Amino acid sequence: TSSEKLKVLISIAASRSMLGYAAATMRRLQASNAGDEFKLALFRYDEAPGQEPPELEGDVGATLNPHIVFQSTGPSCHVHQWRQLTPDFVKGYDYVWSIDGDIDSLLFSWDIFRHYLLELRPLLAQAACLASQNKSAKKGTEWRHLRMKPPGNNRSVPAVWEVFFVEMMYPIFSTRIWPVLYQHMLSLSGYAPFPMERMWNRVVWNLVEQNCTDLLGIVVNLAPLKHRNLKGYTSTPSHCSKNTPHNDCREINQSQVDVIAATFCPPGTKTDRESWPDRQVCPFPTDPNRLQRTWHIDYDGHEAIPLIDISRQRSRLL
């Protein structure tokens, strides 16, 4: 699998002050050994809407311009941005990777990260989160299961683990799952990203429950990203809200269940409500911090079998 080339569409939402982080991330990706192709959809939410995006100049422009395939300006929140990436637009890519503008990739390794994408083939993944030294950044993420973990006492390092919940800060999606996510986005106001975040985790969880896939989302510990917590969405008029509009807490509807089953499940899989009962996305129906399996690497660099290997029976997932 090491010779397989990936094509990744990166969606970055950034204010002017954050474009340096976007350029640094792109330089790091281009310096990887794999020779993968990266294209960029850039959402500049602090620029005037309805106008040509201001030209990117200097080192930032030299780094980003060759990769940009889409730009948008004006206040917008995550869902508003993702809705512009239609299934037809992302066709031909292997992954859509959404990255907030205040993410620092200094310690990130695409070569390590892609290794686990190719080995495990997840529909949903993210890098572990490393907090900034900035006191306001706290722990980088409120979800403890997404934070980078140190080596253990058994001469091994947690390399990657399986989770019920991947958050919206920098998720990477297989484009196989994008059409049903996009369909759900169209039904939302989009002023709060949390319902969409819960929906994509629920979809993957449902697929595991229905034995249509054997893997939940994954977190790659060996390739962390640092959250600078610059609060771009709250310090600029982004149209984002911390409060979830009631109408955005929509369950996964029947047409979406049908699409999910047709894409990922064996022919003849039943999709009625009795066979596929778990459709709610708000509130999230389990403790998001629960883990399933963890893969470790010992100090000699050998991959070990999962030290946690939980049965795939539905009763164990609930």
Side-chain angles (χ1 to χ4, degrees), residues 24 26 30 32 38 98 100 114 123 136 151-152 164 230 245 255 268 275:
M26 190 59 70
Q30 286 300 112
S32 64
F38 302 97
S98 175
D100 281 356
R114 77 184 300 276
L123 296 173
S136 66
F164 284 94
L230 300 180
S255 67
S275 304

Side-chain angles (χ1 to χ4, degrees), residues 11 42 139 145 214 218 245 277:
S11 169
L42 186 58
K139 294 183 173 67
H145 71 288
D214 61 359
I218 64 167

Side-chain angles (χ1 to χ4, degrees), residues 111-304:
D111 291 306
I112 293 175
F113 192 83
R114 77 184 300 276
H115 168 77
Y116 290 103
L117 292 182
L118 292 173
E119 285 294 312
L120 299 175
R121 305 284 175 173
L123 296 173
L124 180 62
Q126 74 162 82
C129 186
L130 188 62
S132 168
Q133 294 301 310
N134 179 354
K135 291 182 179 180
S136 66
K138 298 181 180 178
K139 294 183 173 67
T141 175
E142 62 181 294
W143 306 111
R144 64 179 183 273
H145 71 288
L146 302 178
R147 298 172 193 156
M148 188 179 185
K149 299 183 186 303
N153 296 323
N154 56 354
R155 293 187 55 79
S156 70
V157 180
V160 58
W161 54 82
E162 189 181 22
V163 294
F164 284 94
F165 193 86
V166 167
E167 70 173 338
M168 63 191 171
M169 198 151 51
Y170 39 78
I172 187 166
F173 308 94
S174 165
T175 50
R176 295 181 65 210
I177 204 173
W178 192 256
V180 73
L181 302 186
Y182 185 83
Q183 184 182 351
H184 195 76
M185 291 176 208
L186 296 179
S187 69
L188 308 181
S189 73
Y191 290 106
F194 310 111
M196 198 63 229
E197 177 185 61
R198 283 148 178 76
M199 186 269 183
W200 66 57
N201 287 291
R202 172 49 100 179
V203 167
V204 175
W205 185 4
N206 276 349
L207 286 170
V208 171
E209 289 182 310
Q210 297 294 327
N211 296 314
C212 299
T213 185
D214 61 359
L215 187 69
L216 294 165
I218 64 167
V219 176
V220 181
N221 193 51
L222 298 181
L225 288 166
K226 180 177 286 191
H227 182 206
R228 290 292 182 181
N229 204 28
L230 300 180
K231 302 184 182 298
Y233 281 110
T234 57
S235 62
T236 60
S238 64
H239 289 180
C240 278
S241 171
K242 290 185 177 180
N243 300 315
T244 300
H246 175 71
N247 289 339
D248 278 7
C249 277
R250 299 173 182 269
E251 70 171 16
I252 301 170
N253 65 35
Q254 185 61 50
S255 67
Q256 292 163 359
V257 172
D258 291 340
V259 170
I260 294 166
T263 305
F264 297 101
C265 300
T269 298
K270 294 182 179 180
T271 62
D272 57 276
R273 188 169 286 274
E274 182 178 354
S275 304
W276 204 297
D278 302 316
R279 306 184 182 198
Q280 288 296 118
V281 298
C282 299
F284 197 68
T286 189
D287 177 8
N289 289 303
R290 287 175 60 197
L291 303 184
Q292 286 291 84
R293 294 174 288 183
T294 299
W295 289 263
H296 288 70
I297 288 182
D298 65 28
Y299 284 2
D300 295 322
H302 301 126
E303 290 191 7

Side-chain angles (χ1 to χ4, degrees), residues 6-70:
L6 298 176
K7 188 173 181 181
V8 183
L9 177 63
I10 302 174
S11 169
I12 296 183
S15 63
R16 274 168 281 181
S17 63
M18 298 177 184
L19 289 170
Y21 287 117
T25 295
M26 190 59 70
R27 284 192 292 269
R28 182 163 292 276
L29 294 174
Q30 286 300 112
S32 64
N33 295 319
D36 295 326
E37 183 178 353
F38 302 97
K39 297 297 182 182
L40 177 61
L42 186 58
F43 297 94
R44 302 168 66 178
Y45 53 78
D46 63 342
E47 301 291 354
Q51 298 183 10
E52 283 293 317
E55 185 176 352
L56 297 176
E57 300 176 336
D59 291 341
V60 168
T63 300
L64 296 182
N65 286 332
H67 302 281
I68 293 175
V69 293
F70 180 85

